[in-house]
Every structure is written in C-alpha cells, then in structure tokens.
Amino acid sequence: MAPPNVERLYPPAELRLCQGARVSNAPPTDGARLVKGYSRLVLVNGRVPLVTAPAPDVCLSSSFGPRFGRLHAGIDLQARPATRVFAGGSGVVREVEYARGYGRYILIDHGAGVFTRYAHLNSVKPSIAPGTRVWFGKPIGVMGRSGNATGIHLHYEILTGSYDTPRRSFGLTARDPFSFPPYVVQDTTS
C-alpha cells in the first residue's frame, strides 16, 4: 500500500465500496464488496487510455447512475486521510474553476473528444492552469469538500463530446467509467 500523499500515482488494483457506506447506486460487487469487472485502466472510445480511479488508496462511496432521483454523472472516491489527485491520462488542462455544485474543479482534454473532470478539490497545484500540458499520473490537486459535498472525496467524471459549444464542459456527455473495456498494453517484443 502506497503512502497517502505520494508524488506518483498508484492506481488501485481493485476497487472496494467504502466500509460502512451504503452506496445506493453501487455497481455489481462480490461478497467482499469489490467492484466486479473493475480495471485500473480503461480505453475510452477505443482510443484514449484513462485511469479509472486517479487517486491512491481509495474506496468507492458513490457510483455513476441514478442517485436521489437524478443522474450522478461520475464516481466518488474517498480516502482517509485525504490524498493527492492525479491526472487520469495525458492531455491539456481546459478549465480550473469553481462551480457551485462541483466546488473547485479541473477539466482535462485528452484529445479525440475525451475529457476528465476532478471536482470538490481542496486545492489545485499552483502549476495547474488552463493550457497546462499534463501527463498520466501528474499530481494536480488534493481531494476535499468544496462545493456541494457532504464529506472529503474526489468526484471524478469521464466525459465525451465537443467542448466547442456555449456550455463548454457542461455540454459534454458523462459516461460510466465502469462501462469501458480494460486497456491492455500490447507486447511488441515478439
């Protein structure tokens, strides 16, 4: 197990529902509350590899799907103590903003119409600003409870579509991170 505030991303090999939490929109799990079919890396739209849980030593406190009569457009990841958040893939930062519901958030454009949003952050690294190029696993902030949040966590979204609309990131389509196939590194040595 990695220390909670490491400078390198160690995506969890397995993802478990948070102990003691009732996750109303939980994905299928086994008897040990491990998410079935979880993969630490997924391939979005057949082109963009992304990390499914971009913070070390986390558990799942809410999943993608219906929650309290509305769509919960991402997954909520919790760690105690709060931990660093890392870029889920390489790309360019498009937004570093504060929105009432999301609190302090970052939006990264990974190309090919694929984006990730990291919300409810306590802080954003000073080097992260719109136009900043980031790589997979780069520390970008620290999870928190800014905006409409009842506890410290990371709200993580995988989004697809065109950014070039009047609604910018809020015009993108939220996608279930558990719906994508695993990303498998091809062995090119043979």
Side-chain angles (χ1 to χ4, degrees), residues 19-87:
Q19 188 173 357
R22 183 179 171 278
V23 181
S24 62
N25 60 355
T29 58
D30 67 12
R33 296 174 54 98
L34 293 172
V35 174
K36 288 183 178 179
Y38 166 80
S39 176
R40 64 174 81 190
L41 289 169
V42 294
L43 189 61
V44 179
N45 289 354
R47 298 180 63 189
V48 178
L50 292 175
V51 171
T52 309
D57 300 326
V58 293
C59 61
L60 183 72
S61 61
S62 188
S63 193
F64 183 94
R67 188 179 77 170
F68 309 125
R70 306 184 335 173
L71 172 67
H72 184 244
I75 61 174
D76 289 349
L77 302 167
Q78 189 178 78
R80 289 198 175 107
T83 188
R84 285 193 171 103
V85 173
F86 298 82

Side-chain angles (χ1 to χ4, degrees), residues 121-145:
L121 298 174
N122 179 60
S123 62
V124 173
K125 283 192 71 112
S127 61
I128 302 299
T132 303
R133 181 162 291 286
V134 295
W135 59 92
F136 159 81
K138 176 177 178 53
I140 58 174
V142 176
M143 65 174 56
R145 62 179 293 176

